[in-house]
Each structure stands twice: as C-alpha cells, then as structure tokens.
Amino acid sequence: MAENRPFVDERLQHIAFIMDGNGRWAQKRGLKRQEGHREGSEAFKRVVSYCADLGFKAVTVYAFSTENWKRPKEEVSSLMKLLERYLTSSRDELMKHGVRFRVIGDKSVLSPGLIKKIDNMEKATADNPLLLNFALNYGGRDELVRAFKKLVDSGKTDITEQDISLALDTFDCKDPDLVVRTGGDLRISNFLIWQAAYSELYFTDVLWPDITNEHIDAAIHDFYSRQRRYGGVES
Ligand code: IPE
Ligand code: IPE
Ligand code: MG
C-alpha cells in the first residue's frame, strides 16, 4: 500500500472533514445512533493519525455543530461523554503523532468540567506541529458573528478581509485546501463558510465510521487532479 500513498506537498497543507453518517451507520445495523458515534470516534482517531503520517500541517474536523443541540438529549449527552473520554485517554497518542489539539467553536456554553479538560489538552499539546482544529459547538455563522463583535469591541472601522480572518477561531491557520464530506449529502452545513471560499470540495457516500486510509488517498488524488483557478484563467 505504501507505494500508493499520496504525497502531500505545499499545495495541500490543510484538510478538513465533515464527519457525517454515524447515525445511518448504526441504523443500518439495528443499533442506537450512539453506537454510530462511538464507532465514529474510533474512525476520527484513525484519520488523525493517518493525516499526521501523511504530513499535513492542519486537520479540521466537524464534530458538533451549533445546530446539533436540536438532537435528542440522550444523543447530545452521549456525544459529550465520548469527547470527555477522548480527552482523558488520548493525550499520549496526540503527543506521539505530534498533534496540537485545539477547539474551534463557542466553548462558553459547555460544562465547566469539559472546558477544563479541553483547556488542559490544549495546553499539553500546544508545542506540537500538526494543528488539529476540533470544531465543537461550531457554526460558521456563529463564528462570524463572534468575529464581528470582536471587531466592533476593538473600535476598528475600516474592516478588511484580513481583519475578519484574524478575528475567526482559525486566525493562525491557512484556509482549508480540501474539505471532505462523508455520508453522501452534498452540502456544507454551516462549516467553515468563510474559510472554505476557495477550498476544493470532495463528497463521498462512505459513512464516517467506515472511512479508511484508502478513501482519504482517493480524496487526495482527486484534489491533485484539479486546477485551482481562484477566479483566474487556466495557466
Ligand atoms: C455525524 O453523524 C456526527 C454528528 C453530526 C455529531 P450524524 O449523527 O449526523 O449521522 P447521520 O447523518 O444521521 O447518519
Ligand atoms: C454536519 O452534519 C455536522 C457535523 C458533522 C458535526 P449534520 O448531520 O448535522 O448535517 P445536516 O443536518 O445533515 O446538514
Ligand atoms: Mg448527519
């Protein structure tokens, strides 16, 4: 397999994933949706370690949206528990792969215990080279509203695109080159709506818990077959 492993270069530094399809994965097996999320969290760990091996500089994953609070209480609390478990058990693995864990999204409404665990993990991994943006209670519109509020509070009036980018949760990170959505739906669902303005989009029917290294390789090969014109003409 190694010889088919794609080469990640400066054109592809940041990959983002909309990790969709956990619920359907479980339903297909007659299991509770929660079981799908549990399997999905295993897939997430595999994907992060593969992306570290491939040499990405940044990986962003959509874990829980500002809209996902609409789900049944039981499902929401199982997702938060899974995250707590991940934060308690994955420090060694993140250090081993050189991953810097960082939450993007509005943390303020999370439980104090969870916020503390997130802060601890962010501090423990702060010096690692591969940035993992974990989008939690994240919505692109909410992020923009928070950014605009920051700019208003700072008293700035002559606002540029760069000012907005720097006021976002991803202020220190290049925009995603490639956004991959699993689960077969062809939409963005409020993910990185500012940052993905010129990202390449890749959609696959594979349900998130079923994602393998080969699926990621396919997305990367597809990325390299495209020409990014940014509004210009073919060179
Ligand atoms: C994605 O899987 C995980 C979250 C949104 C938390 P879903 O739970 O949305 O799975 P489907 O789309 O219902 O299959
Ligand atoms: C997007 O998936 C959010 C995450 C993957 C966390 P959803 O399942 O919430 O998106 P919709 O509802 O199908 O648009
Ligand atoms: Mg979904």
Side-chain angles (χ1 to χ4, degrees), residues 6-15 54-58 174 176-178 219-221 223-224 228:
F7 174 66
V8 168
D9 60 15
E10 72 292 338
R11 288 172 290 173
L12 182 50
Q13 297 177 18
H14 182 179
I15 189 167
L54 289 175
F56 283 99
K57 295 214 164 40
K174 187 177 182 268
D177 300 297
L178 175 60
I220 293 173
H221 285 303
F223 172 87
Y224 280 115
R228 301 182 81 180

Side-chain angles (χ1 to χ4, degrees), residues 20-21 24 71 181:
D20 197 24
R24 279 163 286 167
R71 296 185 178 206
R181 182 177 186 140

